[in-house]
């Protein structure tokens, strides 16, 4: 089922796939004149926090996690980026280093666009400039909601909320009634929720016993998204 109308998914999920969609042909040609493509294996690093940005990254196929690592080496996954989204542009726009790291969540094909091409296109393309500004504004709102959730919601509520968001990201050629398989490790799920693996597994087991989700190995299938919405207590 679609959750639009019963859950405000846009408050919790920022997407940049529309930034390059149907970009004027001359703008797209300028942007991609020197692009290169690379295959990344699951877990392979795309860029690291504090490195200087040489360009932006466009996800052609696959999924990427953006994350930070604390002083004890623990990951906090900030966001899962999907096919069609761009990464790394924040650091270029702020003329700073990467504020976080990025790694492939699954086998992914990603294009690299040099910094100069991105900036030149941004100067010449009113469409791209407007879209990026809109995207940055939306991201700020989503991050504010996420900070509020971490401060005010229980682990159980946060896990339900993230399963709702991940369900949307893992839809492929979706039709009403089709099951959606979330293919994610329990460690990555815990790092998205902001808890330890044991707590994520325990609550996931409770959801499974209640008939809310089904698991097949590392895959999670949401059976009752309405129950997750109730548990998430998003209002």
């Amino acid at each position: 089922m679609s959750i639009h109308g019963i859950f405000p998914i846009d408050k919790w999920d920022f997407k940049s796939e529309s930034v390059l969609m149907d970009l004027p042909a001359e703008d797209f040609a300028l942007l991609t004149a020197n692009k290169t493509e690379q295959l990344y294996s699951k877990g392979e690093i795309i860029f690291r926090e504090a490195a200087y940005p040489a360009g932006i990254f466009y996800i052609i196929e696959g999924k990427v996690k953006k994350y930070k690592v604390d002083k004890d080496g623990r990951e906090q996954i900030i966001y899962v980026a999907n096919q069609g989204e761009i990464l790394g542009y924040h650091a270029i726009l702020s003329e700073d280093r990467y504020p976080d790291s990025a790694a492939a969540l699954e086998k992914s094909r990603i294009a690299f666009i040099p910094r100069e091409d991105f900036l030149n296109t941004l100067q010449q393309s009113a469409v791209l400039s407007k879209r990026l500004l809109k995207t940055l504004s939306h991201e700020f709102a989503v991050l504010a909601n996420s900070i509020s959730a971490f401060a005010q919601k229980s682990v159980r509520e946060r896990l339900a909320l993230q399963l709702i968001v991940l369900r949307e990201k893992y839809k492929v050629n979706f039709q009403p009634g089709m099951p959606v398989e979330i293919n994610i490790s329990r460690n990555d799920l815990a790092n998205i929720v902001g808890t330890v693996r044991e707590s994520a597994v325990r609550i996931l087991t409770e959801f499974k016993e209640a008939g809310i989700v089904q698991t097949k190995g590392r895959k999670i299938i949401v059976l009752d998204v309405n129950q997750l919405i109730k548990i998430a207590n998003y209002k």
Side-chain angles (χ1 to χ4, degrees):
M1 67 174 291
S2 170
I3 63 172
H4 291 282
I6 61 173
F7 182 82
I9 188 66
D10 290 342
K11 287 187 175 182
W12 304 99
D13 183 24
F14 48 80
K15 301 176 180 179
S16 60
E17 77 267 23
S18 62
V19 172
L20 302 185
M21 188 181 296
D22 298 324
L23 202 63
E26 61 274 19
D27 295 346
F28 189 77
L30 180 63
L31 181 68
T32 59
N34 299 296
K35 79 174 177 67
T36 56
E37 294 183 9
Q38 181 175 335
L39 286 174
Y40 289 84
S41 302
K42 179 184 178 298
E44 191 172 354
I45 302 294
I46 299 165
F47 58 78
R48 293 185 185 276
E49 182 177 357
Y52 285 104
I56 65 169
F57 299 86
Y58 172 70
I59 306 173
I60 301 171
E61 295 175 9
K63 291 179 178 61
V64 171
K65 63 180 179 181
K66 293 185 67 181
Y67 64 95
K68 294 183 76 72
V69 179
D70 67 17
K71 59 183 177 61
D72 297 317
R74 292 174 300 203
E75 279 187 16
Q76 173 62 61
I77 297 178
I78 303 166
Y79 176 64
V80 174
N82 216 344
Q83 178 178 328
E85 297 191 52
I86 58 175
L87 304 167
Y89 64 93
H90 301 83
I92 292 178
L93 293 176
S94 63
E95 298 182 343
D96 203 350
R97 304 183 188 210
Y98 288 122
D100 47 32
S101 301
L105 263 180
E106 59 190 34
K107 185 178 179 181
S108 301
R109 184 161 62 98
I110 299 174
F112 173 77
I113 296 171
R115 172 193 183 105
E116 294 75 16
D117 292 350
F118 172 64
L119 291 175
N120 287 340
T121 308
L122 195 57
Q123 279 189 323
Q124 297 188 34
S125 174
V127 175
L128 182 59
S129 299
K130 184 177 180 180
R131 288 180 179 179
L132 275 180
L133 184 60
K134 183 178 180 180
T135 297
L136 286 167
S137 299
H138 184 225
E139 287 183 9
F140 180 82
V142 171
L143 288 173
N145 287 330
S146 297
I147 292 169
S148 175
F150 272 98
Q152 300 175 11
K153 291 186 178 296
S154 66
V155 173
R156 180 183 177 84
E157 289 171 330
R158 298 201 307 266
L159 179 55
L161 179 61
Q162 291 302 331
L163 286 175
I164 295 166
V165 174
L166 288 169
R167 177 181 177 271
E168 292 300 297
K169 290 183 178 294
Y170 278 84
K171 285 181 176 179
V172 178
N173 300 321
F174 180 75
Q175 297 293 328
M178 285 177 55
V180 179
E181 293 187 346
I182 302 169
N183 189 4
I184 193 168
S185 73
R186 301 301 178 262
N187 282 334
D188 282 333
L189 181 62
N191 291 338
I192 292 172
V193 174
T195 188
V196 295
R197 183 182 187 278
E198 291 75 17
S199 292
V201 170
R202 174 178 55 79
I203 298 171
L204 195 61
T205 300
E206 292 175 5
F207 289 172
K208 184 178 178 181
E209 291 172 350
I212 299 171
V213 303
Q214 176 184 351
T215 58
K216 294 180 180 178
R218 59 179 267 157
K219 295 179 180 178
I220 303 167
I221 301 169
V222 175
L223 302 177
D224 192 342
V225 72
N226 285 302
Q227 278 300 110
L228 287 179
I229 290 171
K230 289 180 182 178
I231 295 168
N233 188 27
Y234 68 89
K235 292 183 179 179

